[in-house]
Amino acid sequence: MRLVLVGPPGAGKGTQAEVIAAELGVPKISTGDIFRANVSGGTPLGLEAKRYMDDGDLVPDEVTNKMVADRLTEDDAQKGFLLDGYPRNTDQAKVLDRLLEEQGHHLDLALELVVDDDEIVRRLSGRRVSKTTGKVYHLEFDPPEDPESADLYQRSDDRPETIKNRLKVYADQTAPIMGYYEAQGRLVRVDAVGEVETVTGRAMSALRGHGAE
Ligand code: ADP
Ligand code: AMP
């Protein structure tokens, strides 16, 4: 299956993508993770991306689309994938459709995680990440063993001023892609409030209802 996971920052896309991709036997491809790996590695792509990520803005489409196109040529993505964090505007959605069409494929579904703004702010402000494993925790909802551990860090774009801009960017640029997918009958909406396992259950039954195995 070829899927994209969409929803506001902090909706739980990364958390759910991990489990859903494993259940479906496809790779999880997160543009945010790829950018962050490049930022940590100090690559030219990372240096370019960091300027936008620090402010909560989108990295320019030319850079992002090329990175995704390259990633989708890798062997593990030939039989399907779950994209997390891409597309983030209608142009990216159209570029992805064109790219898949050129390869004789098509996107099966867009899975939207629906969460309100208050919950998003709660989730983003409590998010902490392990430096060594990359595992994502939440101080309240999925607490790490030692919340004071030096291994944990807060993403620089999870600070209040940046969260505000990311929500604006989401509303202005990303939310319109739901209309794009809905018009094509490819949008599946899932209530993403509740325990992680409950949300996964809802997502899997929605996907199975649309032909996922
Ligand atoms: P996204 O990838 O959409 O930005 P994440 O998967 O990183 O979101 O989740 C954001 C934060 O919310 C993380 O700290 C995560 O542990 C927490 N989280 C994810 N799903 C849930 C849930 N169902 N209930 C409560 N907290 C959650
Ligand atoms: P995420 O981990 O999905 O929250 O992404 C973190 C940041 O990476 C975003 O705020 C953007 O700056 C950048 N980013 C991730 N995916 C995209 C995308 N599809 N288009 C543009 N920028 C992106």
Side-chain angles (χ1 to χ4, degrees):
M1 262 207 142
R2 294 176 174 82
L3 300 175
V4 298
L5 191 52
V6 284
K13 297 184 297 297
T15 305
Q16 294 299 331
E18 201 77 42
V19 196
I20 296 171
E23 290 254 350
L24 298 175
V26 296
K28 164 199 162 186
I29 299 176
S30 157
T31 43
D33 285 352
I34 303 176
F35 283 135
R36 278 185 292 279
N38 278 276
V39 170
S40 312
T43 68
L45 173 66
L47 290 178
E48 165 81 1
K50 189 175 185 321
R51 295 168 33 208
Y52 301 92
M53 295 171 78
D54 281 347
D55 293 334
D57 290 327
L58 297 186
V59 178
D61 284 354
E62 315 81 83
V63 177
T64 308
N65 289 334
K66 166 135 193 359
M67 180 178 89
V68 171
D70 287 348
R71 178 64 185 85
L72 291 183
T73 63
E74 288 181 29
D75 285 349
D76 66 341
Q78 299 318 302
K79 295 225 169 86
F81 52 75
L82 175 57
L83 272 166
D84 155 21
Y86 181 94
R88 255 180 159 96
N89 60 35
T90 311
D91 282 343
Q92 292 183 4
K94 290 179 181 165
V95 165
L96 177 64
D97 277 343
R98 231 173 11 247
L99 182 75
L100 292 175
E101 199 181 312
E102 280 163 17
Q103 299 169 350
H105 299 306
H106 65 272
L107 186 73
D108 292 296
L109 294 171
L111 181 68
E112 180 188 359
L113 297 183
V114 181
V115 186
D116 64 49
D117 275 9
D118 288 348
E119 180 69 11
I120 288 167
V121 173
R122 255 197 305 279
R123 288 188 185 180
L124 289 178
S125 44
R127 174 159 62 186
R128 296 292 182 276
V129 187
S130 160
K131 280 181 206 157
T132 45
T133 65
K135 182 173 161 40
V136 175
Y137 294 92
H138 190 283
L139 290 178
E140 189 185 340
F141 306 128
D142 180 14
E145 215 163 284
D146 173 11
E148 301 301 321
S149 162
D151 181 50
L152 290 177
Y153 71 95
Q154 179 173 36
R155 274 172 51 171
S156 56
D157 58 354
D158 280 348
R159 308 242 157 83
E161 328 73 71
T162 321
I163 290 178
K164 220 167 133 204
N165 188 42
R166 288 164 72 206
L167 290 177
K168 183 171 168 11
V169 167
Y170 181 78
D172 294 348
Q173 301 183 46
T174 308
I177 67 178
M178 306 315 158
Y180 174 78
Y181 287 128
E182 192 163 29
Q184 299 169 339
R186 288 188 292 177
L187 185 69
V188 176
R189 303 180 87 224
V190 169
D191 172 10
V193 178
E195 299 282 326
V196 170
E197 296 74 18
T198 309
V199 177
T200 309
R202 286 181 200 139
M204 287 311 301
S205 49
L207 291 175
R208 291 201 174 105
H210 285 82
E213 287 170 9

